[in-house]
Amino acid sequence: MSRIGKQPIAVPEGVSVVIDGARVEVSGPKGHLTQMLPPQVRVSLEDGCVKVARESDQRRHRAMHGLTRALIANMVTGVKEGFTKTLEVRGTGYRAQLEGKTLVLRVGFSHEVRVDPNPGIDFAVDGPLVRVHGIDKQAVGQQAAEIRRIRPPEPYKGKGIRYAGEWVRRKAGKSAVTAAG
């Protein structure tokens, strides 16, 4: 039995879950999310908890069991609390700011880079920190990855855009190599 899949998902106050065949809809104070279910999995709502079961012990069915439970749990958390990814902009002259809902990045190019938020995503800028907010965990992570891809941190000075708390492995420069040789 899947350790993740067999855990029930508690539905908090203010969140409603509607199961309609192969479709799960979750509504809460922050919004509404919908997910289509794989055919190998059955979802039921019992005593204020969502329970996920699978058809058999085949490898694919076991994988879908845990995945489906995790997706529904993320939907419940998203409509109740939301998700946030924080990015750091590091480097001399590197900065981020908001113009309306558009994120404007100055990260060492000859031009500024403008990033429009995907649907359901909001940005917040606090000095060198950029926060990506939303109710869909996958969409928040995707938007954060797209921003980081604009200027990933480089290994010599560590300049670039990185996730908050991300450790970047640093390399020695040319001077260290020539001094040893």
Side-chain angles (χ1 to χ4, degrees), residues 84-87 121-126 129-133:
T84 302
K85 281 271 193 185
T86 305
L87 300 159
I121 301 293
D122 294 317
F123 298 130
V125 176
D126 182 27
L129 300 179
V130 176
R131 289 188 178 84
V132 181
H133 303 282

Side-chain angles (χ1 to χ4, degrees), residues 115-116 118 141-151 163:
V115 180
D116 293 320
N118 292 338
Q142 181 67 37
Q143 184 77 64
E146 288 170 4
I147 293 170
R148 184 182 182 279
R149 194 178 308 130
I150 291 168
R151 178 69 98 174
Y163 295 114

Side-chain angles (χ1 to χ4, degrees), residues 1-111:
M1 190 85 179
S2 169
R3 285 181 274 172
I4 300 290
K6 70 181 176 183
Q7 297 173 359
I9 304 163
V11 180
E13 184 114 1
V15 175
S16 68
V17 177
V18 177
I19 302 165
D20 182 25
R23 180 188 192 111
V24 175
E25 296 180 18
V26 181
S27 299
K30 293 205 176 253
H32 176 83
L33 291 171
T34 303
Q35 178 72 40
M36 294 302 291
L37 300 176
Q40 303 93 350
V41 177
R42 302 285 175 255
V43 178
S44 62
L45 185 61
E46 301 170 6
D47 303 325
C49 289
V50 177
K51 295 187 179 177
V52 181
R54 63 176 181 251
E55 288 181 352
S56 72
D57 271 347
Q58 291 179 17
R59 185 179 179 92
R60 177 134 175 95
H61 294 188
R62 289 194 316 261
M64 289 295 118
H65 188 204
L67 172 70
T68 303
R69 192 261 177 213
L71 290 174
I72 295 171
N74 287 340
M75 290 167 60
V76 170
T77 303
V79 298
K80 181 70 174 172
E81 301 163 13
F83 292 100
T84 302
K85 281 271 193 185
T86 305
L87 300 159
E88 288 181 60
V89 179
R90 282 198 188 175
T92 305
Y94 285 22
R95 63 181 56 93
Q97 67 185 48
L98 280 178
E99 287 183 7
K101 289 189 171 197
T102 303
L103 178 66
V104 179
L105 298 168
R106 292 186 184 89
V107 286
F109 297 125
S110 61
H111 58 283

Side-chain angles (χ1 to χ4, degrees), residues 174-181:
K174 282 185 178 180
S175 61
V177 173
T178 58

